[in-house]
Amino acid sequence: MKKSLITTTFCLTLITFSSFIKAAPVLIDFDDVIGSRVDITNRYAGLGVTLNAIDNPFPLSGAFPAPATLPAILGGVSTWTEGFASALSPPQVAVSSPFSGEPDYGDGGILISFAFDVNSVSLVGVDNGTNFGSDDESVTLTAYDAAGNQIGQVYSTTNLPSALGYDQTPASIAMDGIRYVAFNYTDSNFGFYSIDNLEFVAAPIPEPNIVFLLGAGLIALFGFRRKFGQVSAQ
């Protein structure tokens, strides 16, 4: 009987931990916004994402020296029309809004905050300066957990010059327990930087009905075991 109880409990536990709702990737390309310099700090809060400006001292080289705990929020985030609003109907990007010490758009980093844990975050860093790949550009993504402690960092030096000269640097980070991702850049020439094509995947969560069934099953099993023990004692 004891062996049967252990086997049943193990099977129920295995079913529970193999039955998770896997979230589909969510893409935010900012193209749903019309106009440049439109505040989008809380625009995507319904998707569980908020964006804020953080410090990004410039110029720098190499991986960004991100702090061990969450960087201070200094301002909001706005849209910017690629090509400095000079092209017809170009895609939008997101830039840090001006804050104390950095009066211009795009001179700061961006803190991406999630309302839940995510397993992966990817984006494209865009240098809105037209240097045609002549300067040293890189992107650093730093992940923090719900307590605000750094849990990982990725340094990307991939440089993809575009026909318009707005060099792009894709970067991604993946691990369990991500709640914040700080986007920072290093650049040896021009400091106007933005992000595009932000994509994330929420951490899987157990299906509620399975959790309920496991709980009910365990209660029933322990109740049965207790009753069986009492009968045996008699």
Side-chain angles (χ1 to χ4, degrees):
M1 178 62 67
K2 183 176 180 181
K3 183 178 180 181
S4 176
L5 287 172
I6 293 175
T7 302
T8 304
T9 302
F10 173 77
C11 291
L12 283 171
T13 303
L14 185 62
I15 291 173
T16 297
F17 283 98
S18 63
S19 300
F20 285 84
I21 300 174
K22 294 183 179 180
V26 177
L27 174 65
I28 301 175
D29 60 13
F30 312 108
D31 293 346
D32 58 301
V33 185
I34 298 175
S36 220
R37 307 189 189 189
V38 176
D39 181 79
I40 56 171
T41 303
N42 298 303
R43 183 180 182 89
Y44 304 102
L47 297 176
V49 181
T50 54
L51 307 167
N52 289 278
I54 54 177
D55 199 13
N56 197 112
F58 176 80
L60 290 171
S61 60
F64 187 85
T69 55
L70 275 180
I73 291 175
L74 302 175
V77 169
S78 302
T79 56
W80 196 271
T81 306
E82 287 185 14
F84 300 97
S86 61
L88 295 175
S89 301
Q92 299 278 17
V93 292
V95 299
S96 60
S97 300
F99 53 85
S100 179
E102 295 293 350
D104 295 324
Y105 285 84
D107 281 353
I110 294 177
L111 180 66
I112 306 162
S113 304
F114 298 96
F116 40 76
D117 285 351
V118 300
N119 283 349
S120 66
V121 178
S122 64
L123 54 78
V124 177
V126 182
D127 180 3
N128 288 71
T130 53
N131 296 299
F132 296 95
S134 63
D135 49 345
D136 177 24
E137 301 166 352
S138 60
V139 164
T140 299
L141 297 183
T142 308
Y144 298 86
D145 61 17
N149 298 312
Q150 184 183 144
I151 57 175
Q153 189 176 76
V154 169
Y155 174 55
S156 176
T157 59
T158 302
N159 193 280
L160 304 174
S162 71
L164 297 175
Y166 307 115
D167 304 330
Q168 302 179 15
T169 303
S172 61
I173 189 166
M175 61 185 59
D176 293 334
I178 299 175
R179 189 63 68 92
Y180 306 90
V181 170
F183 160 81
N184 292 99
Y185 62 86
T186 51
D187 194 335
S188 61
N189 194 348
F190 194 71
F192 190 107
Y193 233 74
S194 59
I195 66 173
D196 200 3
N197 295 341
L198 169 63
E199 185 174 286
F200 64 91
V201 178
I205 57 175
E207 295 187 41
N209 60 327
I210 296 297
V211 174
F212 174 78
L213 288 174
L214 175 67
L218 289 177
I219 292 172
L221 283 172
F222 283 119
F224 179 78
R225 182 179 181 183
R226 183 178 179 182
K227 182 177 181 180
F228 180 79
Q230 291 174 346
V231 173
S232 300
Q234 295 175 356

